[in-house]
Amino acid sequence: MDEAFGTGSLGGDALNAAIGETVSLIALLGVLAWAVTRPRGWPEAVAAVPAAVILIAAGAIPAGTAATEARQLGPVIGFLAAILVLAHLCDDDGLFRACGGWMARTSAGSPRRLLTQVFAVAAVTTAVLSLDATVVLLTPVVFATAARLEVRARPHVYACTHLANSASLLLPVSNLTNLLAFAASGLAFGRFAALMAVPWLAAVGVEYAVFGRFFATDLNAGRGAGRGDGGKDASLPVFTLVVVALTLAGFAGASAAGINPAWAAFAGAAVLAVRALTRRKVTPVALVRAADLPFLLFVLGLGVVVKAVTDNGLGRALAPLVPGGTSLPALLAVTALAAVLANVCNNLPAVLVLLPLAAPSGAGAVLAVLLGVNIGPNLTYTGSLATLLWRRILHHHGASPDLGEFTRLGLLTVPAGLVLGVLALWIGLRVPGG
């Protein structure tokens, strides 16, 4: 009798596990589908938060485990909120308009020279103020600059989305995926940046080389008839630039002192916020909107949903595919897996799933995951939320991207960027201190 009862109990446990896995996967697919389509423009959190609550109520993830996941994501979400506010205030102070004016003047109407300047501005903006700033704030400026110069905007706006992904490798603040990887890596801010500097340059270099040939017809169309020196440009906001520079220094200093770098981000955002409020250039409500609370709730809800999926079987299924160690073949395999998973289910769930599996092999494996989830999304529309947002911005400007063209460009840039990025990382890990 006891034996029969035990067998039944085991069967029940297996059934419960299967149900938990199925329900979790359905919840994740539903959240991702909502994030891609965003019916009626409703935020991603509308699906993610209820999905997380349902999984907790259904027992697919214990409430204690969900609470632990939320606590672990808390500093990352706070960091993200501060960076979003900082980028918004930089835009209010005219930083991106000043960049647009500079690009228009110094390009002298040359499409190829303008592409070089867009690459420089987009790469730095992505690295310092996050990929959201590049997609949301810089892309409209690039559209306006191309129209001002009367050149074809296609190469330049494509550069914005590609660099929002591939140029987000450099700093922990460049991407939400970076913040998650930074927390899992155990690296100091400076060491993270040092290890990712050459992979970052390699990824941007590959993009630039491919863009020059892929868009040769647009770039060789001749100088635009528009004036690159006309109009009244916004002046460079020196105070804002100084605050951003000090904030970056604060990231490194806080990390070296064992303090969460999020405090430096809050300090930089607070300085610009107090100044803007004092001058009545912004309202408290606008600052709250800039923090994008619905998106922060989405990240929190998605984290809980992905944790449920991982604990209910996906983690065990993927574990054999993640090799141990930091040899070159191991790093290439981890990066390839991360890139594939990012394009299948978006880079944010991909990094949440893979980080716990890669972390035991050390910081090198964690950074290899980051290469995959940051460069890989340039292959498909759904690879990253930034690309989905970029598509909406293009639709707003009446310039819908072509799927075939987007995919061909991704096939030319992504594999080469991944291989060179991994090779650079592997070499960096083998220098003293790596």
Side-chain angles (χ1 to χ4, degrees):
M1 179 72 71
D2 291 340
E3 183 178 351
F5 181 80
T7 302
S9 178
L10 289 173
D13 289 343
L15 180 61
N16 290 336
I19 293 174
E21 182 177 0
T22 302
V23 171
S24 300
L25 281 172
I26 291 173
L28 177 59
L29 292 174
V31 170
L32 293 177
W34 186 280
V36 170
T37 60
R38 288 189 69 196
R40 299 184 180 181
W42 287 355
E44 297 90 344
V46 171
V49 173
V53 173
I54 290 171
L55 290 179
I56 294 171
I61 178 172
T65 302
T68 300
E69 182 70 12
R71 284 194 297 271
Q72 292 176 345
L73 287 174
V76 171
I77 292 173
F79 207 149
L80 177 63
I83 291 296
L84 290 174
V85 172
L86 186 68
H88 174 80
L89 291 170
C90 287
D91 184 48
D92 283 351
D93 282 347
L95 179 60
F96 295 99
R97 292 190 299 276
C99 288
W102 173 79
M103 289 188 292
R105 288 193 307 274
T106 55
S107 65
S110 167
R112 193 169 290 276
R113 188 179 300 172
L114 178 61
L115 180 67
T116 301
Q117 292 160 340
V118 169
F119 260 74
V121 173
V124 173
T125 298
T126 300
V128 175
L129 293 175
S130 87
L131 79 170
D132 297 294
T134 299
V135 171
V136 177
L137 303 177
L138 184 62
T139 300
V141 169
V142 169
F143 263 115
T145 303
R148 173 176 172 177
L149 297 176
E150 297 181 18
V151 301
R152 298 175 184 177
R154 197 167 56 124
H156 312 99
V157 297
Y158 266 86
C160 288
T161 185
H162 265 244
L163 292 178
N165 290 315
S166 57
S168 67
L169 294 169
L170 183 60
L171 301 177
V173 300
S174 305
N175 196 335
L176 177 57
T177 56
N178 296 32
L179 292 173
L180 294 165
F182 179 58
S185 70
L187 295 170
F189 187 95
R191 186 58 187 160
F192 182 103
L195 284 171
M196 297 304 281
V198 179
W200 177 70
L201 290 172
V204 174
V206 166
E207 298 280 5
Y208 186 75
V210 172
F211 267 64
R213 295 181 65 85
F214 190 86
F215 292 107
T217 302
D218 295 312
L219 298 174
N220 295 331
R223 294 181 181 274
R227 296 194 305 168
D229 57 352
K232 184 178 180 181
D233 292 330
S235 59
L236 191 67
V238 177
F239 179 85
T240 301
L241 280 178
V242 170
V243 171
V244 171
L246 291 175
T247 302
L248 282 175
F251 293 152
S255 180
I259 301 172
N260 194 315
W263 291 109
F266 278 115
V271 170
L272 291 183
V274 169
R275 179 171 178 261
L277 289 169
T278 302
R279 293 178 159 194
R280 296 186 179 180
K281 293 179 63 176
V282 71
T283 64
V285 173
L287 291 176
V288 173
R289 287 176 180 167
D292 202 347
L293 295 181
F295 183 71
L296 302 181
L297 288 172
F298 163 70
V299 173
L300 183 61
L302 180 62
V304 173
V305 172
V306 171
K307 179 65 174 174
V309 173
T310 303
D311 289 354
N312 281 288
L314 182 60
R316 292 190 298 276
L318 291 176
L321 303 178
V322 180
T326 55
S327 65
L328 183 57
L331 294 179
L332 285 169
V334 170
T335 299
L337 177 62
V340 170
L341 198 59
N343 284 291
V344 170
C345 69
N346 191 266
N347 64 342
L348 187 52
V351 78
L352 288 168
V353 169
L354 291 176
L355 284 180
L357 303 176
S361 294
V366 170
L367 297 182
V369 170
L370 198 58
L371 288 171
V373 299
N374 285 11
I375 298 174
N378 280 331
L379 195 56
T380 63
Y381 283 157
T382 56
S384 75
L385 293 174
T387 303
L388 295 173
L389 185 55
W390 173 80
R391 285 184 63 205
R392 287 200 289 270
I393 292 172
L394 260 62
H395 283 297
H396 178 74
H397 283 82
S400 300
D402 177 74
L403 176 60
E405 182 177 65
F406 186 94
T407 304
R408 289 193 302 273
L409 184 59
L411 288 171
L412 291 172
T413 58
V414 169
L418 290 175
V419 171
L420 289 180
V422 171
L423 182 59
L425 174 62
W426 177 74
I427 294 172
L429 290 170
R430 270 139 190 85
V431 302

